Amino acid sequence: MKNKIVYGVLGLSIAAFGTIGTYVLFTDNEDKVAVAAIETKESSPEIVEHPVSADDLAKSVKEIGEIKDEDTLNSIMEHMSLQKVNIGDEQFTPKGIDPNSINRIQMTKENITYLKQSLGSIDISRNTSTDGYDYESILNKWLEGNFDNITKEFEFLLGLYNNGVYTGDEVTKKSEAEEKEYISHFFN
């Protein structure tokens, strides 16, 4: 008989229009882990599942390490974003940064899921934006495969440590070919 463990993280935000968002994490002791994000603007919730195997999640934990605080979370999200963005004219490594000093982390569903799970166990103090850019909303978009605003999200993440303002080189979205080249270079 299966023994199921259910972890729940409940976040409610009631705006002027009565928007309520609830996020719940379901796991079991079998080979599957699933994250469900429920967002409602009405009374009927829509559930979106992102199944990830326990083995794949364990690999993410090993690759990324423990997310101890907001600085670690932010740094990991920035490093993952490098797969999707160019900074200035640099495709692989931002100017002035030793390429060997960057912990390359692939933008995968498993890695994003691990970061999302870590949110509930750390204190968040810098990320208090109300413009739709916060760790949870960004990770939810990434889980859905939505990278339409990756440049703004990346600038937001970098700006958290500069009074909310990014002042560096222009950030552009990598083309599919550039991203494939990046993945091949660092992860194959």
Side-chain angles (χ1 to χ4, degrees), residues 128-146:
T128 57
S129 174
T130 58
D131 297 338
Y133 292 107
D134 59 69
Y135 298 124
E136 188 168 23
S137 66
I138 291 170
L139 291 170
N140 282 338
K141 288 178 190 175
W142 292 359
L143 272 173
E144 292 296 321
N146 180 348

Side-chain angles (χ1 to χ4, degrees), residues 44-87:
S44 59
E46 178 184 337
I47 298 175
V48 181
E49 292 188 24
H50 305 283
V52 176
S53 76
D55 288 342
D56 287 341
L57 194 57
K59 287 178 191 173
S60 292
V61 172
K62 184 177 180 181
E63 176 184 353
I64 294 172
E66 182 182 0
I67 307 295
K68 298 177 183 180
D69 53 32
E70 183 177 7
D71 290 339
T72 305
L73 175 69
N74 186 294
S75 177
I76 298 299
M77 289 176 71
E78 290 171 9
H79 291 154
M80 286 174 63
S81 297
L82 292 175
Q83 176 180 320
K84 301 277 184 189
V85 301
N86 296 320
I87 302 172

Side-chain angles (χ1 to χ4, degrees), residues 8-9 67 73 114-124 136:
V9 179
I67 307 295
L73 175 69
Y114 172 56
L115 295 181
K116 187 166 165 62
Q117 287 179 355
S118 299
L119 278 174
S121 64
I122 60 174
D123 290 328
I124 305 293
E136 188 168 23

Side-chain angles (χ1 to χ4, degrees), residues 17-33:
F17 298 102
T19 303
I20 299 175
T22 307
Y23 304 95
V24 183
L25 166 66
F26 298 97
T27 67
D28 66 33
N29 66 347
E30 291 292 316
D31 187 18
K32 298 175 185 170
V33 175

Side-chain angles (χ1 to χ4, degrees), residues 170-186:
E170 180 183 16
V171 177
T172 57
K173 188 173 180 179
K174 278 183 170 45
S175 68
E176 275 189 50
E178 289 173 324
E179 185 175 351
K180 285 179 183 177
E181 183 181 358
Y182 182 94
I183 291 168
S184 175
H185 183 81
F186 290 107

Side-chain angles (χ1 to χ4, degrees), residues 95-110:
K95 269 185 218 167
I97 304 290
D98 175 8
N100 298 319
S101 70
I102 296 178
N103 183 17
R104 304 292 174 163
I105 299 169
Q106 192 166 4
M107 183 76 75
T108 65
K109 188 184 297 187
E110 296 81 13

